[in-house]
Structure formats: structure tokens, C-alpha cells
Amino acid sequence: MSQASDASPVLHFRWYLLFALLAGAILPLGFAPLDVWPVTILSPAILILLLIGQSTRRALWLGYAFGLGQFGVGVSWVYLSLNLFGGAIAPIAALITLLFFGALALYAALTAWLAVWASRAGPAGNPEDRKPIWRLILAFSGSWVFVEWLRGWVLSGFPWLDLGVAQVNGPLGGFLPLVGEYGVSLITVLMAGLLAWGITEARRQQTDGLKAAGILVGVFVLIIGLGIGLSRIHWTQPVGKPLMIGLAQANVPQMQKFDPAFLNKTLHTYVDLSDRIGPADLIIWPETAIPDVLSNLEWFRKILEKRSAETKTDYLVGTFTQDGDGHYYNSMVGIPSQVGSHRKAHLVPFSEYMPLRPIMDLFSGLIDIPMSDLTPGAANQPLPTVQGVRIGPSICYEADFARDIRHDLPTAGILVNISNDSWFGDSLAPHQNLQMAAVRALEYGRPMVRATNTGISAFIDTEGRVTKTLGVDRQGILKSAVQPYQGTTPFYHLQSWPIILFAIMFWASAWLWRRRVMRPD
């Protein structure tokens, strides 16, 4: 009899773990390409409900299960990068992917542990304490946003599936130019907390449930209405004449991209696509479109310079460069040279440089990642200039971080991002990358032009709306007139620090509240 009673709570908690795993697994549905943004409120709300009354140890496991679901689904493309394009055999690719998911899930585990540790009154709770759900909501909201911010910095950062990103095309997107990605994450997770509170109240007497539902609907309508109202404010203004910009997407398979046997074919493909674009002020080729050090291909550079002079068209092309000390850079180079250039400053860990080198060297014979020992460029570099318009350049990963794009503002009139998303195949990643680029355009009130090797190439306006796209695994061109903008958004001046401070204050308030409840009279 005692064995059964001991076993039943364990079995019961296993159901909790399953629900946490499923709650995390549905969170990516709120992001591109599906964009079901209400899921980003529902998913954390479920985790909050599961944390009510739990010990810190169980909260840790519930958060970990949630994180496994969240990242196991949301960044499942990591396996494709390692196995199909990194050359790792399936068992090794699967092992590294599982380790990666397990490491990322620690962030969700930390979020849940911090929330429960700060908010609970004791192992069994305090019967005199009638407001534990509000302390949990405060602590959870603060810890969620703080841990999102932390994840954006550790090992140079991994900002995938931040809640604020999913709102770019939803009614909360209007808050992005005001409080940025983390500010919108805070609003979203507070709404999740309100939803969790409404559900707990609905379990009580019917009158309490109806009252809670009325409050919940009223607050949601207020927040969403405010977001829609803010989206109608134009924080920045057009300046000068539009630039006619063309993008070339060659769709070169990743398995061929760095094969010297295909180099000439790749170069001719980009030249042919550029011819199809026709008259333009600027033609952009994606990241590593020229998959070699440009100084090794001086003959091809001269061809581009001649074409540029004849057609009066400037080029920004992705390639590699080398300095006098032998350092290699992932670069965006202007043709002619007067246009300027950009060296990628924010490198991708485990891809463009290797942190934890002694450990990663153990896998050196099992994974083949070309150009994985690059040097970062300077944080502040002179901006390329086309027809008198300053261009805010970023390469791949850099557009995922608001702090990287901010370096180019307010000087830049147009943002340009080049990327090589062929590492991810036809997975969630190209859509997620495009969505993060759209967030940057909206946060700073600048149009974003994005050129990729295998898709998704796109034009994004200052409202974060994607106006033209060329999808995954397609070869072709895009062309559009892009209006430069000037001015700044409130987020440019405030940055993320006030939001992180608010998050810490929320968590600390819950902790102080808990200590007051526990203090004996």
C-alpha cells in the first residue's frame, strides 16, 4: 500500500513533464513560417500553470522539459547543418545535436528555477498567503526576459525563439520601435501570466471565473489596441531619392559551394543573374557568393570593375578577404572600391570560429566546416556608400542582434544583410532568419534588403513587412526601388538596458514579497 502511495506522485509528475515538453514543442508554431503568434502567449502560460505549487527541484526539471521541446522543434535544423552539409555521419550529427538541445534547455530550466525560488513561500506554501500566483507571474516574467537576454550574450549569443521576435507581424509589433525585442518579450510573457491567472481563477467559483475573464479580456484588448495604435506612428522619415537595388540568388548547393571545380560555374551564374537585373544603382550578391579570397581572383575583380563602370552600377558582393598579417575575414566588398566594404564582426561560434577549441578538436576528423578559423572585423567600421546613401551592412548572424545593427545608425539610410542559409536546407531556419531581419527593420525604422544564396532573399520595409521574396531552393533575381530613411526610433536611444532592469526588478519584487509573507509577526 505504501509503495503505491509513494509511486503515484512520481507518475503524476511524469505527466507534468510531458505537458511541459509539449508546451515547449508548440512554442515554435508562433514563429515563422507559421506565425501563429497567440501560441507564444499560450505556451509560457502552460508552463506557469505547471509550476504552481512545485518545489524548486521539480521546477528545474519542468523548465528543462519545456526547453527540450522548445529548441528540439525550433532549432531542429542543426542536425541538417551537421549531417547533410557539415559532413558528420548521422550518429555523430545526432549526438552533437542532442547535446546542443540539452545545453539550450538549461536556459529554460534556469528560468523556471529562478521563478519558483523567488516566488514560493515554502515547501508547502503559506495558508495565509492568498496571492502566490501573482508572485509567480512577476518572478517568471522577470526571469524569462533576463534569461533571454543572457542567452543573447553567452558564447556570442543565440537569440533564436525570443518571444518578441514572433510579434513582428502581429498586433504587438507596434511596441518594437519603442521597447525593442526584449521589451516585447516582457509584454508577451506578462500576457501569458495573466492568461495563467485567468485559468486559475476559472477553477474557482463561477462568479470569480467570470470576473477574471472580464479582466483578462479587458487587459488583452487594451494591450493589443495600444500595440496597433503604436504601429501607426512613423518614427523615421524618408530622405533623398530611392535607390534601384537588385539581388542575385544563385542557389548554389552547399556541397558545391566550396568545391574548386565549381568555382567558375558559380561566378558565371552570378554574372548572368546580374545581367538579368538590368539597370540598377546597386546589385547585391549574398554571403560568400565568391567562395574564395578575393585577392586570389584579381582577374574576376577587374571584370566586375569594368562592368560596374560600363553600366554605372555599384556592387556589394560577399567574399573572403585577407589582411597583411594573414588573417581571414568574412566580408562584404564594394565594387568599385570607393563604395567601401564591411568585415563581419560578430562571428558564428562553432562555424566561423571555434570556442572550446580543445574539445572541438576531438571532432576535427568527423565534421568538415570550411573557413572555420576567421577573424572578426572591428565593431565600428566605415559604412559603404552608394549614390550618396550610407549603407548599414551586416552579414548573416549580425542581423539577429539589435546591438550589432545599432552600430550603423543613425547614419545609415538603408540596411543590407547578406547571408548563406544553404547550411540549413529547406528547414525552419531560413524563415526564422528572415523574421529576425524584419524585427531589426522595425526596431530602427530602416528598410532592410536581404540577399541570400539559396533563399530567402527579400525586401523589407520600415514597418517590418516583407514586400518581395525569393523562396528557398530557387534561383533568380529580385529588384525594387528602396527609399532611404533618416531619424531614430525611441528604441535606438533607450536600447535594451531599461527592459533588463525592469525584468530584474520584477523578479526581485517577487522575492521581497515572498520574504515579507514568510516573516513571522
Side-chain angles (χ1 to χ4, degrees):
M1 188 73 177
S2 61
Q3 290 180 348
S5 61
D6 290 341
S8 57
V10 175
L11 180 63
H12 180 67
F13 186 63
R14 288 173 180 170
W15 281 105
Y16 272 63
L17 290 173
L18 177 61
F19 290 143
L21 180 72
L22 293 176
I26 66 171
L27 182 60
L29 300 179
F31 295 78
L34 296 178
D35 292 312
V36 188
W37 66 266
V39 172
T40 60
I41 298 173
L42 175 63
S43 173
I46 295 173
L47 180 56
I48 292 172
L49 290 170
L50 293 173
L51 292 175
I52 294 174
Q54 300 291 351
S55 66
T56 51
R57 181 177 63 85
R58 288 193 169 190
L60 193 72
W61 282 110
L62 286 169
Y64 195 75
F66 182 93
L68 286 177
Q70 174 186 0
F71 294 107
V73 173
V75 296
S76 54
W77 42 264
V78 169
Y79 177 81
L80 292 176
S81 301
L82 293 170
N83 178 239
L84 296 182
F85 308 118
I89 60 174
I92 295 298
L95 174 61
I96 296 175
T97 301
L98 289 174
L99 291 173
F100 185 60
F101 293 162
L104 288 176
L106 290 173
Y107 288 108
L110 177 61
T111 298
W113 183 87
L114 284 171
V116 169
W117 184 86
S119 63
R120 58 194 294 268
N126 185 339
E128 301 300 322
D129 178 16
R130 302 297 184 185
K131 305 293 184 182
I133 181 65
W134 288 112
R135 288 204 311 277
L136 180 59
I137 291 169
L138 277 175
F140 184 86
S141 300
S143 61
W144 181 289
V145 174
F146 175 79
V147 171
E148 267 196 358
W149 172 82
L150 184 67
R151 180 159 50 86
W153 285 93
V154 174
L155 289 177
S156 88
F158 190 78
W160 257 258
L161 304 181
D162 287 353
L163 291 184
V165 170
Q167 317 307 328
V168 62
N169 293 315
L172 301 183
F175 289 98
L176 282 167
L178 190 65
V179 295
E181 175 182 324
Y182 295 123
V184 178
S185 287
L186 183 58
I187 294 169
T188 304
V189 76
L190 283 170
M191 293 176 72
L194 285 171
L195 178 60
W197 167 78
I199 293 173
T200 59
E201 288 298 304
R203 294 173 180 172
R204 300 176 183 271
Q205 297 178 5
Q206 186 176 4
T207 53
D208 291 339
L210 290 174
K211 181 180 178 181
I215 295 173
L216 188 65
V217 171
V219 173
F220 273 42
V221 168
L222 178 63
I223 295 173
I224 290 172
L226 183 58
I228 293 173
L230 287 170
S231 67
R232 296 177 179 175
I233 298 176
H234 300 289
W235 301 102
T236 57
Q237 306 78 40
V239 59
K241 297 180 180 180
L243 292 183
M244 186 59 67
I245 299 179
L247 312 179
Q249 181 172 301
N251 196 35
V252 178
Q254 185 64 27
M255 304 303 291
Q256 297 180 9
K257 189 172 183 64
F258 293 98
D259 188 338
F262 291 93
L263 177 60
N264 284 337
K265 180 182 177 182
T266 296
L267 298 179
H268 282 98
T269 298
Y270 278 108
V271 170
D272 292 343
L273 289 171
S274 298
D275 286 340
R276 288 172 51 191
I277 290 172
D281 297 307
L282 174 65
I283 292 177
I284 305 171
W285 293 2
E287 180 185 18
T288 64
I290 302 175
D292 199 351
V293 178
L294 190 57
S295 58
N296 295 340
L297 301 170
E298 195 60 31
W299 61 272
F300 186 69
R301 179 169 189 149
K302 290 180 179 178
I303 290 175
L304 284 182
E305 289 176 343
K306 181 180 179 182
R307 291 171 60 87
S308 174
E310 290 174 348
T311 61
K312 301 187 185 308
T313 299
D314 293 335
Y315 287 80
L316 282 171
V317 300
T319 185
F320 295 101
T321 57
Q322 186 179 20
D323 64 16
D325 296 325
H327 298 129
Y328 292 94
Y329 300 89
N330 186 350
S331 301
M332 182 190 305
V333 175
I335 305 291
S337 59
Q338 297 93 308
V339 171
S341 63
H342 171 74
R343 290 172 171 173
K344 188 176 183 181
H346 195 150
L347 301 181
V348 181
F350 307 106
S351 176
E352 293 173 315
Y353 79 98
M354 289 294 174
L356 311 175
R357 170 64 73 175
I359 297 176
M360 294 309 296
D361 281 346
L362 298 175
F363 299 96
S364 59
L366 302 173
I367 305 175
D368 179 23
I369 300 179
M371 303 302 285
S372 57
D373 282 299
L374 297 173
T375 300
N380 291 290
Q381 304 175 46
L383 301 184
T385 303
V386 176
Q387 303 289 330
V389 177
R390 296 292 180 88
I391 303 297
S394 60
I395 300 176
C396 189
Y397 207 49
E398 292 176 317
D400 299 339
F401 297 86
R403 63 182 183 268
D404 292 342
I405 299 301
R406 188 178 183 274
H407 289 306
D408 302 334
L409 298 167
T411 307
I414 296 172
L415 302 177
V416 169
N417 176 251
I418 61 174
S419 185
N420 176 31
D421 289 352
S422 58
W423 282 101
F424 312 124
D426 188 7
S427 67
L428 296 174
H431 303 274
Q432 294 169 346
N433 264 333
L434 176 60
Q435 189 174 44
M436 285 188 277
V439 170
R440 303 289 88 82
L442 182 52
E443 281 178 331
Y444 291 118
R446 291 294 189 277
M448 170 82 78
V449 181
R450 190 165 188 270
T452 70
N453 175 27
T454 57
I456 305 168
S457 297
F459 288 94
I460 307 168
D461 67 15
T462 57
E463 306 301 317
R465 294 177 300 224
V466 178
T467 57
K468 288 186 178 181
T469 62
L470 189 58
V472 178
D473 290 338
R474 291 180 58 192
Q475 184 180 102
I477 61 171
L478 285 178
K479 185 177 180 180
S480 182
V482 180
Q483 174 66 56
Y485 272 71
Q486 66 179 359
T488 56
T489 62
F491 174 67
Y492 170 81
H493 298 282
L494 295 172
Q495 303 181 63
S496 297
W497 300 112
I499 298 302
I500 303 308
L501 180 60
F502 271 117
I504 295 172
M505 289 173 59
F506 281 12
W507 182 88
S509 297
W511 178 72
L512 291 171
W513 190 354
R514 183 200 72 169
R515 287 186 54 88
R516 188 185 68 181
V517 170
M518 291 179 64
R519 186 182 301 126
D521 294 333

